[in-house]
Amino acid sequence: MFAAYAARIDRDQPLNGLELGERPAPGPRPGWTTVNVKAASLNHHDLWSLRGVGLGEESLPMILGCDAAGTDEDGNEVVLHSVIGQSGHGVGPDEQRSILTERYQGTFAERVAVPTWNVLPKPKELSFEEAACLPTAWLTAYRMLFTNAGVRPGQSVLVQGAGGGVATAAIALGAAAGLRVFATSRDAAKRERAVELGAEEAFEPGARLPRRVDAVIETVGAATWSHSVKSLRPGGTLVISGATSGPNPKAAELNRIFFLELKVVGSTMGTKDELADLLSFCAATGVRPVIDSVLPLDRAREGFEKMSDGDVFGKIVLTV
């Protein structure tokens, strides 16, 4: 079957390790389901995999891709939850989590095999392309907002770095849930798009907000950390799920954190139940993933290059 896969690890030039071509199709495995992929979406995790983060040389070649929607062996339309336990049968309470492409072949292929536990019904209201955007970036944003920040309708949130997959999802989900959403971006066009998506206002990075917020959704890291901390009201919550600009800010702002009793919460992906809730939320409210572009799988390299350059607003989707 045709696939996009990591053939080599290159920490400096990750796209050098990306290959497109034939790979073995998944075979039958007890307790697992083979899904015919209709659409799959790119995540920064795929670029990090090509750099060797979470993926070792001994696991190569590895088909990339965490997210997908398609049809199961009985023709049912399904969405995949990409968090898989080490046993390959769901995630037990004491079991270490893994995700597709760290231990198991991924979704950038004609077919993918996952534990049956990891297959959810696709709502009829969502297209395959829309559904394929949800299991990583949108699920991460959903958990950040509603589980780890615990914000309620009417409260305020700052989303750093509008344009990225998680940030875009947080703006759309927050606005649909009745939050007052503020956003930042270095790019004027992306600030304008953020407002169109539901943000009350969008600012340049580091700008003073009209008010301090109840929560900050942080995925940028070092470049925005100080601004995120300073933007919180006393007792507010900073939720971080990534650090695309680096993990080591110049100032940790520890004095402000303890004096104002701020909460800093790490967040990674989300549970199967949260993905089911997210699917229902999108079906019920009409909120839909923002799709930057849709490309056929044989043009996957274009999608990787676009994401690597940062020239995106929303998700890049590959179709089979």
Side-chain angles (χ1 to χ4, degrees), residues 155-239:
Q155 292 190 313
S156 56
V157 61
L158 168 64
V159 179
Q160 297 280 21
V166 175
T168 302
I171 294 169
L173 290 170
L179 301 176
R180 301 186 66 183
V181 181
F182 302 102
T184 67
S185 175
R186 293 174 298 177
D187 186 284
K190 290 182 179 180
R191 293 196 296 272
E192 185 176 331
R193 290 285 302 278
V195 172
E196 292 173 357
L197 199 57
E200 189 171 309
E201 292 184 77
F203 305 91
E204 294 185 2
R208 186 181 182 90
L209 303 183
R211 54 184 290 181
R212 290 186 178 178
V213 296
D214 297 289
V216 175
I217 301 302
E218 174 65 85
T219 60
V220 179
T224 55
W225 180 261
S226 183
H227 181 243
S228 292
V229 174
K230 291 175 181 177
S231 297
L232 283 168
R233 64 161 177 79
T237 303
L238 192 161
V239 185

Side-chain angles (χ1 to χ4, degrees), residues 72 110 138 152 165 225 244 251 282 302:
D72 68 10
E110 296 176 62
W138 278 65
R152 303 185 303 275
W225 180 261
T244 55
C282 290
E302 293 178 40

Side-chain angles (χ1 to χ4, degrees), residues 18 62 97 105 113 119 128 165 187 190 203 215 221 223 288 301:
L18 177 66
M62 176 64 76
R97 295 173 300 173
Q105 300 293 327
V119 178
F128 286 111
D187 186 284
K190 290 182 179 180
F203 305 91
R288 295 291 183 269
R301 182 172 295 275

Side-chain angles (χ1 to χ4, degrees), residues 4 14-15 18 20 40-47 50 64 108 291-319:
L15 294 186
L18 177 66
L20 278 67
S41 68
L42 272 73
N43 294 284
H44 274 93
H45 178 269
D46 301 308
L47 277 176
L50 289 166
L64 298 171
F108 293 165
I291 296 176
D292 177 275
S293 50
V294 178
L295 298 168
L297 181 58
D298 59 6
R299 291 172 57 190
R301 182 172 295 275
E302 293 178 40
F304 273 83
E305 290 171 346
K306 188 177 179 70
M307 185 170 63
S308 180
D309 293 340
D311 183 27
V312 295
F313 192 96
K315 298 289 290 178
I316 298 172
V317 177
L318 303 177
T319 56

Side-chain angles (χ1 to χ4, degrees), residues 73-97:
E73 293 148 336
D74 297 320
N76 301 306
E77 297 185 350
V78 297
V79 183
L80 305 186
H81 178 50
S82 57
V83 181
I84 300 175
Q86 297 288 356
S87 68
H89 293 278
V91 183
D94 300 317
E95 189 173 21
Q96 184 176 348
R97 295 173 300 173

